[in-house]
Structures are given as structure tokens and as C-alpha cells.
């Protein structure tokens, strides 16, 4: 149970021995680096890092706990300001405010990912594998999917290059997909004043541009391997940020307009009825806290 102190690592990234502060030495089959952005072992086994600051320049986070004012809202409020954004949500009878900005006070971080999350017998998980601005809870989603992949690829010996290659391909796709979602939202938000002060001459990643242009043209979205967000998430995000397709999908002509209108009217009525049957958010949270 003693803290980690040091490790002996060969040129191929194999952690041959781990030493704890009490002198205990461990010869590991596999090392899971969950040490956060410091990546205490993975930064030595796989130091190559892909930097994303050209698209995501925020590099500081700062958290405050504030006195709650009024009934808590059932959502997180996100506001763009200056070189970053703030998110406020109710928690435990107070409001928590997270500020993410480029420069200034707060905890530093670097947006990007480790090029090889699995190298040798060390696997970086969570923030040790990479970081994205916490505009969405992408970190937990990517972590859970990475763990599911790791279970499927669990090696029988220290050196497992085939499994490592498959895991690295998945992790790269998942983290890049999460990055693209945040980039797309910030780019779309600039059009409606939600986010600002980002380099105007920075080209969007090809995948983001492909999604944005096709959605703007006809409301469709191309999807790619291992993306952590579904097509519905992308459509809802673009719609919420004020992106309206120039024309509808031609397949809608297969049904009479009156049928489509009635379908959505019925769907809307069901949603309203379900929401009205729910208790107020504050009451529901109080009941959960008392349980």
C-alpha cells in the first residue's frame, strides 16, 4: 500500500520493476498508469505527445464553490467569456463554477493525447492518456470505453505488440472524436456569440469540416470509427448552436407532410406530459440526498 517511487524501464517501454517508497519491489505483468496528467510512468514509456492547443488554446482550469441563489436549475449553464468559458452547475446545496481559460490563474493542463497510450507493458488511462477541455464529460466516456477495449485485449504476457496496436488505434479514434466534438461546438458557437476570441485563421480538422458542411447542406452527419458521441449528439449540438440546414433530407419526401407534422406533434405532446408528471428538480434532489 506504499506510494510509487520509481521504475526500471527498458528501451522498448517494458516496466521491468517498480519500487515503492517502503522499499518494496514489484515485477509487473502489466502497468495501468492512472496517475492523471503527470503520467508518472507512461510519460517515460511513451513520451510522444500530440498537441491540440492550436484548436483548443485553453490551458488553465479554476474551480469555485459559490452560495446557491434560488432553486437549482436541472442543467449546467455554460457561458463564453474572453479567452475561455465558465460552466456553473448545482451540487450539494451550492453552485460549482468551473472556469477554463488561456492563461491566468488556475491548474495548468495541456490539450492533447499521448501518441501511444499502450507501449511496452504500460497502458495510460484517463488523463494520463490525454486531456481535452472539460466542456463535456468526455473523459469518463472515453475512459469507460478504453477499459472495455482493454478487457477484450488483455495480454497473456508482457510484450503484446498486436494488442497494443489495436488499443492505440481505438484510443486515438476515441480521443480525437471527443476533441472534434468540442472544437465543432466552439466553432459553431462563434457564429451565435457563445464562444469567442479564438484564432480565426486556424483551419478546422477535416472531420469537423466534413460534419459541419454536410449538416449545413442537408442535416446529415458522417460518422467515423470509435467516436464517443452519437449522430444524435452532433445533431442536437449543431441545432442548439443555431446551425440550420439549408434544405431537408430528400428522403422526407417519401411521407406526406401532414403525416410528418402529426408525428412530431404527438411526440411533443408525450414529452410535455412526461415532464409535467415529474417532481421539481430541487425536490427530487432533496429526496435523493435524504435517502
Amino acid at each position: 500500500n506504499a506510494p510509487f517511487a520509481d521504475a526500471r524501464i527498458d528501451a522498448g517501454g517494458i516496466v521491468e520493476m517498480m519500487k515503492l517508497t517502503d522499499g518494496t519491489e514489484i515485477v509487473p505483468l502489466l502497468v495501468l498508469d492512472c496517475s492523471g496528467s503527470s503520467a508518472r510512468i507512461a510519460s517515460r514509456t511513451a513520451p510522444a505527445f500530440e498537441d491540440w492547443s492550436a484548436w483548443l488554446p485553453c490551458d488553465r482550469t479554476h474551480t469555485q464553490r459559490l452560495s446557491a441563489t434560488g432553486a437549482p436549475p436541472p442543467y449546467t449553464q455554460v457561458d463564453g467569456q474572453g479567452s475561455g468559458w465558465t460552466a456553473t452547475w448545482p451540487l450539494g446545496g451550492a453552485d460549482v463554477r468551473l472556469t477554463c481559460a488561456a492563461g491566468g490563474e488556475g491548474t495548468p493542463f495541456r490539450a492533447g493525447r499521448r501518441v501511444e497510450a499502450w507501449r511496452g507493458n504500460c497502458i495510460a488511462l484517463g488523463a494520463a492518456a490525454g486531456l481535452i477541455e472539460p466542456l463535456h464529460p468526455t473523459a469518463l466516456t472515453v475512459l469507460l470505453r478504453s477499459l472495455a477495449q482493454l478487457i477484450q485485449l488483455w495480454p497473456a504476457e508482457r510484450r503484446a505488440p498486436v494488442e497494443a496496436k489495436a488499443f492505440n488505434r481505438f484510443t486515438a479514434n476515441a480521443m480525437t472524436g471527443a476533441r472534434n466534438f468540442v472544437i465543432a461546438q466552439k466553432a459553431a458557437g462563434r457564429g451565435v456569440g457563445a464562444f469567442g476570441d479564438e484564432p480565426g485563421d486556424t483551419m478546422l480538422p477535416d472531420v469537423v469540416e466534413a460534419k459541419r458542411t454536410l449538416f449545413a447542406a442537408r442535416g446529415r452527419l458522417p460518422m467515423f470509427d470509435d467516436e464517443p458521441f452519437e449522430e444524435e449528439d452532433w445533431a442536437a449540438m449543431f441545432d442548439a448552436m443555431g446551425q440550420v440546414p439549408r434544405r431537408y433530407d430528400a428522403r422526407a419526401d417519401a411521407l406526406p407532410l401532414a403525416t410528418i407534422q402529426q408525428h412530431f406533434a404527438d411526440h411533443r405532446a408525450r414529452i410535455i406530459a412526461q415532464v409535467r408528471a415529474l417532481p421539481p428538480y430541487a425536490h427530487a434532489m432533496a429526496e435523493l440526498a435524504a435517502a
Side-chain angles (χ1 to χ4, degrees):
N1 293 326
F4 167 77
D6 199 5
R8 186 173 69 241
I9 303 170
D10 73 9
I14 296 294
V15 180
E16 298 176 331
M17 184 271 292
M18 297 174 61
K19 189 172 183 178
L20 307 184
T21 54
D22 65 358
T24 301
E25 294 185 351
I26 301 171
V27 179
L29 167 68
L30 206 63
V31 177
L32 306 184
D33 190 335
C34 306
S35 60
S37 58
S38 62
R40 297 184 64 186
I41 300 178
S43 60
R44 294 170 59 187
T45 61
F49 193 83
E50 184 177 308
D51 188 279
W52 292 339
S53 59
W55 297 294
L56 301 172
C58 291
D59 58 6
R60 294 287 190 280
T61 58
H62 178 62
T63 304
Q64 299 170 279
R65 190 174 179 88
L66 309 172
S67 298
T69 56
Y75 53 80
T76 298
Q77 176 71 39
V78 180
D79 299 289
Q81 57 177 26
S83 61
W85 50 269
T86 62
T88 306
W89 63 91
L91 182 66
D95 286 341
V96 176
R97 177 169 296 167
L98 171 68
T99 300
C100 189
E105 64 177 4
T107 303
F109 73 94
R110 183 184 178 194
R113 70 172 183 89
R114 203 159 299 285
V115 174
E116 294 178 285
W118 182 342
R119 183 169 183 269
N121 65 338
C122 178
I123 301 173
L125 295 169
L131 280 170
I132 305 170
E133 292 181 22
L135 186 58
H136 293 280
T138 55
L140 181 58
T141 300
V142 173
L143 173 60
L144 292 175
R145 294 192 177 195
S146 297
L147 288 171
Q149 283 290 310
L150 176 57
I151 291 171
Q152 294 182 27
L153 297 169
W154 194 267
E157 53 189 23
R158 281 180 168 184
R159 299 186 188 277
V162 175
E163 291 86 348
K165 184 176 181 179
F167 184 83
N168 288 335
R169 181 172 57 250
F170 166 82
T171 303
N173 289 341
M175 292 205 66
T176 302
R179 177 207 70 179
N180 289 341
F181 191 85
V182 174
I183 292 173
Q185 179 166 3
K186 297 182 77 173
R190 286 200 297 271
V192 295
F195 297 93
D197 294 346
E198 295 210 23
D201 56 352
T202 300
M203 297 294 292
L204 292 175
D206 291 344
V207 168
V208 176
E209 189 61 34
K211 288 178 180 290
R212 191 167 70 158
T213 54
L214 187 57
F215 184 84
R218 53 179 295 181
R220 300 293 296 173
L221 286 157
M223 300 302 294
F224 302 93
D225 290 344
D226 304 319
E227 290 195 60
F229 289 96
E230 304 295 337
E231 183 176 2
E232 294 81 3
D233 299 317
W234 282 89
M237 181 272 291
F238 279 130
D239 181 70
M241 302 307 286
Q243 302 293 304
V244 179
R246 293 190 296 273
R247 60 183 181 275
Y248 61 84
D249 193 310
R251 291 177 296 178
D253 287 333
L255 293 172
L257 178 59
T259 301
I260 296 174
Q261 291 174 328
Q262 186 61 52
H263 168 78
F264 282 109
D266 293 343
H267 191 54
R268 181 176 183 272
R270 286 194 296 270
I271 292 174
I272 292 174
Q274 290 175 358
V275 171
R276 285 177 174 169
L278 295 173
Y281 177 74
H283 293 177
M285 292 299 99
E287 290 178 359
L288 285 175

